């Protein structure tokens, strides 16, 4: 009887919660209907005949208004499984209250939009033609600002290179999936890091790519029919849950989605591409041989998947945009959060396990001030009062400002790897020293691709249960003998490290190809070891991504790692630590050490890898340490 009563109480609680949520959702819709003209499932025509599903929310006024435009591959339908969803309606309500039309559109081939979808390959003309269509509406003032995070941001950069006259301002957030080649980074939209595959796209595409055999609505369907259908048919497939911690272990990599009975799609083609494949340059990625034509407010986070490339793009635009006004109107905020987690920061922000303090920031206020300036012409002084760079320093747990990134008072200080030949694990004798002449010897470790170093925390997203992003105590991980650990002496005074972190390692190996990984860590006096950033380099690409150069046994090779980034205050008594290994799985795919394609291989070779450190082979890490002003 008690069990029955308890079950009834739970059921009644759920019903009450559901009723309350429904009432709240209805309230948002009712409030929006009072102040906005709502025009959903407008099928915006592209020049090739494809129509893109677009929802428009605009103030009830006879005056033309500016537009905030969000273009996305995700489902923004007002009804989900027959129930009212107010996520998009709430954003529209905020924008309309501020005097903006809010326009949200699905990329081609997504949900109600016509055509075929291709991640990172959507025609640039779609964005440009959408700007033209919106700017020509009689309710538009001809000024458009773009806004979005992650896949809702990735398309903005390449379209900004086309410099549409109506594209007046943009706010890209967590935008790495749109960054192709910028400087030394050949990320190709987060697909690679240092030539190694980032496995986030395997799990992400499982639930995102559209199977070519999936049902589609007939081309040319009317807006009236779409409005009726959206109430009970949202075009969103439901995929079975997958244990990605296990699924990503499957070999070959190209068959992972098939192995979990997932949809067919573009994954099977994309997994075969190399970092400099011509197809990366045919779609919607931004590359550094393109111009840039839009004033931008960039938002980056320390524990996102592509912090360094994102910061490199900000610098690239500031230095290379052909229009001086564009060059001079680039602004940046760097938060201590996970991917797109900006507004989830609290007065006690926990990122992974580490408490980084009060990381709240007035995002909405700043973004609307930015749009007000560029889209409405309001003289609100944001470009004068807002610092060029606003960044959060972990450890000291405070927001700071600078005129550039890295801050101009950052001075590079190099630490050299040193040991007596036994740096394996944190119980070894690996040290970081500033004396290059004292850095003698070498350290050897075994890398078995079938027993890789597990990813634990880090700068990651979108891998399901396989990797939890953020900062975690690495002490247990550092007991593995396939991790070389190098640690400084306790600091005699606190130091702030803010900027790009360069590292180079000298390697010899008994295999043709392998990977090198490195991780930067803040070690507390009680032994806690919190990861700050990490990177990887596939050694075959050490001389560039246009060619593959394999190793010969017995020879020593210089490997320059892709730069890491952070802002962290190492307090007095803390120690600086790096970990060196050859795997960080499943954040990155495993190098099977064969010299083959890797994505289509099952067999692997165990590598004996040697890190050399001496005056002849000065393996090192260079930290940008801020000098006191």
């Amino acid at each position: 009887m008690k069990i029955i009563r308890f079950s009834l109480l739970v059921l009644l609680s759920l019903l009450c919660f559901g009723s309350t949520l429904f009432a709240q959702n209805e309230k948002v819709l009712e409030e929006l209907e009072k102040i906005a003209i709502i025009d959903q499932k407008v099928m915006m025509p592209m020049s090739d005949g494809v129509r893109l599903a677009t929802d428009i929310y605009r103030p009830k006024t006879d005056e033309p208004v500016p537009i905030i435009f969000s273009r996305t591959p995700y489902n923004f339908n007002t009804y989900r499984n027959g129930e009212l969803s107010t996520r998009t309606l709430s954003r529209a309500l905020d924008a309309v209250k501020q005097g903006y039309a809010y326009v949200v559109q699905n990329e081609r081939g997504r949900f109600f939009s016509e055509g075929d979808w291709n991640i990172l390959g959507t025609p640039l003309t779609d964005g440009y033609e959408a700007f033209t269509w919106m700017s020509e509406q009689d309710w538009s003032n001809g000024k458009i600002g773009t806004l979005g995070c992650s896949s809702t941001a990735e398309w903005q950069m390449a379209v900004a290179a086309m410099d549409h006259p109506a594209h007046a301002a943009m706010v890209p957030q967590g935008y790495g999936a749109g960054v192709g080649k910028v400087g030394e980074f050949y990320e190709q939209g987060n697909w690679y890091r240092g030539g190694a595959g980032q496995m986030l796209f395997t799990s992400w595409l499982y639930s995102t790519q559209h199977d070519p055999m999936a049902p589609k609505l007939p081309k040319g369907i009317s807006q009236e029919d779409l409005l009726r259908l959206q109430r009970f048919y949202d075009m969103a497939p439901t995929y079975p849950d997958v244990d990605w911690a296990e699924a990503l272990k499957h070999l070959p990599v190209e068959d992972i989605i098939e192995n979990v009975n997932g949809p067919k799609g573009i994954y099977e083609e994309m997994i075969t591409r190399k970092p400099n494949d011509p197809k990366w340059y045919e779609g919607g990625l931004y590359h550094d041989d393109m111009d840039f034509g839009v004033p931008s407010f960039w938002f980056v986070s320390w524990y996102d998947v592509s912090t360094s490339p994102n910061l490199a793009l900000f610098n690239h635009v500031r230095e290379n945009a052909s229009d001086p006004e564009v060059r001079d109107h680039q602004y940046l905020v760097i938060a201590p959060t996970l991917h797109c987690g900006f507004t989830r920061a609290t007065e006690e922000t926990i990122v992974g396990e580490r408490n980084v303090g009060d990381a709240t920031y007035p995002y909405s206020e700043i973004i609307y001030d930015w749009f007000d300036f560029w889209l409405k012409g309001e003289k609100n002084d944001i470009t004068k009062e807002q610092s060029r760079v606003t960044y959060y320093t972990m450890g000291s747990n405070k927001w700071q400002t600078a005129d550039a990134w890295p801050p101009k008072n950052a001075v590079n200080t190099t630490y050299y790897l040193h040991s007596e030949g036994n740096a394996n694990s944190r119980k070894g004798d690996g040290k970081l020293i500033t004396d290059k002449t004292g850095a003698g010897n070498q350290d050897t470790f075994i890398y078995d691709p079938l027993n890789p170093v597990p990813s634990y925390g880090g700068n990651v997203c979108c891998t399901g249960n396989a990797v939890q992003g953020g900062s975690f105590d690495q002490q247990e991980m550092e007991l593995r003998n396939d991790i070389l650990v190098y640690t400084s002496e306790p600091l005699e005074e606190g130091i702030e490290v803010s900027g790009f972190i360069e590292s180079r390692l000298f390697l010899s190996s008994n295999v043709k190809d392998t990977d090198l990984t490195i991780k930067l860590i803040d070690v507390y006096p009680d032994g806690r070891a919190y990861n700050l950033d990490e990177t990887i380099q596939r050694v075959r690409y050490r001389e560039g991504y246009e060619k593959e150069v394999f190793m010969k046994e017995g020879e020593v090779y210089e490997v320059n790692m892709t730069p890491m980034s952070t802002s962290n205050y190492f307090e007095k008594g803390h120690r600086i630590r790096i970990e060196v290994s050859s795997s960080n799985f499943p954040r990155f795919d495993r190098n099977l050490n064969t010299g083959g394609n890797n994505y289509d291989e099952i067999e692997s070779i165990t590598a004996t890898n040697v890190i050399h450190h001496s005056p002849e082979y000065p393996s090192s890490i260079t930290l940008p340490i801020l000098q006191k002003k």
Side-chain angles (χ1 to χ4, degrees), residues 130-141:
F131 293 152
T132 298
W133 187 94
M134 288 185 288
S135 64
E136 291 177 349
Q137 301 306 300
D138 58 9
W139 47 263
S140 167
N141 78 345

Side-chain angles (χ1 to χ4, degrees), residues 278-487:
K279 290 183 179 178
W280 294 121
Y281 302 91
E282 296 172 358
L285 290 175
Y286 179 87
H287 303 285
D288 60 10
D289 60 351
M290 304 162 73
D291 201 0
F292 196 94
V294 182
S296 303
F297 208 133
W298 310 82
F299 289 84
V300 177
S301 49
W302 289 131
Y303 287 92
D304 200 353
V305 69
S306 54
T307 304
S308 289
N310 289 357
L311 296 173
L313 176 55
F314 167 76
N315 286 340
H316 170 78
V317 174
R318 287 194 72 189
E319 296 166 4
N320 295 286
S322 61
D323 185 339
E325 183 181 52
V326 173
R327 283 199 309 271
D328 295 341
H329 289 95
Q330 304 297 319
Y331 293 81
L332 171 70
V333 169
I334 319 172
T337 58
L338 300 175
H339 179 66
C340 292
F342 305 102
T343 59
R344 291 191 287 272
T346 67
E347 294 179 357
E348 294 288 335
T349 302
I350 309 296
V351 54
E353 292 177 340
R354 190 184 188 194
N355 188 327
V356 296
D358 184 358
T360 57
Y361 191 77
Y363 293 102
S364 182
E365 178 184 337
I366 293 293
I367 290 170
Y368 276 112
D369 282 350
W370 179 254
F371 283 145
D372 287 347
F373 181 86
W374 293 105
L375 307 186
K376 294 181 179 179
E378 291 188 6
K379 304 303 180 184
N380 55 22
D381 293 331
I382 186 171
T383 59
K384 298 177 182 178
E385 297 176 356
Q386 181 70 26
S387 298
R388 190 70 61 176
V389 178
T390 302
Y391 67 99
Y392 195 87
T393 302
M394 300 172 289
S396 58
N397 297 347
K398 61 182 180 181
W399 288 102
Q400 301 196 87
T401 60
D403 294 330
W405 190 260
K408 293 179 180 178
N409 60 326
V411 176
N412 286 335
T413 302
T414 299
Y415 287 81
Y416 298 92
L417 280 60
H418 174 70
S419 77
E420 298 301 324
N422 185 30
N424 307 76
S425 85
R426 64 179 170 85
K427 294 185 178 294
D429 58 11
K431 296 180 181 179
L432 289 176
I433 61 176
T434 55
D435 181 7
K436 179 179 178 180
T437 62
N441 227 312
Q442 62 190 41
D443 294 297
T444 302
F445 66 96
I446 304 299
Y447 163 47
D448 179 1
L450 301 184
N451 183 26
V453 174
S455 304
Y456 187 52
N459 313 62
V460 69
C461 83
C462 318
T463 54
N465 68 329
V467 188
Q468 183 180 354
S471 189
F472 290 85
D473 185 357
Q474 303 292 310
Q475 287 185 91
E476 189 68 25
M477 293 284 299
E478 292 169 347
L479 294 175
R480 292 179 61 113
N481 281 329
D482 56 357
I483 299 177
L484 303 180
V485 179
Y486 301 91
T487 310

Side-chain angles (χ1 to χ4, degrees), residues 186-237:
Y186 277 69
E187 296 270 311
Q188 307 299 20
N190 291 161
W191 198 271
Y192 292 102
R193 170 67 52 81
Q198 303 207 62
M199 299 202 76
L200 70 95
F201 274 117
T202 302
S203 51
W204 186 78
L205 281 172
Y206 163 82
S207 58
T208 306
Q209 68 179 4
H210 277 189
D211 194 299
M213 301 307 294
K216 294 183 178 180
L217 295 173
K219 187 175 181 180
I221 189 171
S222 69
Q223 182 182 17
E224 180 183 11
D225 284 336
L226 290 172
L227 289 172
R228 175 175 52 84
L229 288 171
Q230 76 159 337
R231 297 183 65 89
F232 52 85
Y233 188 66
D234 64 5
M235 297 292 289

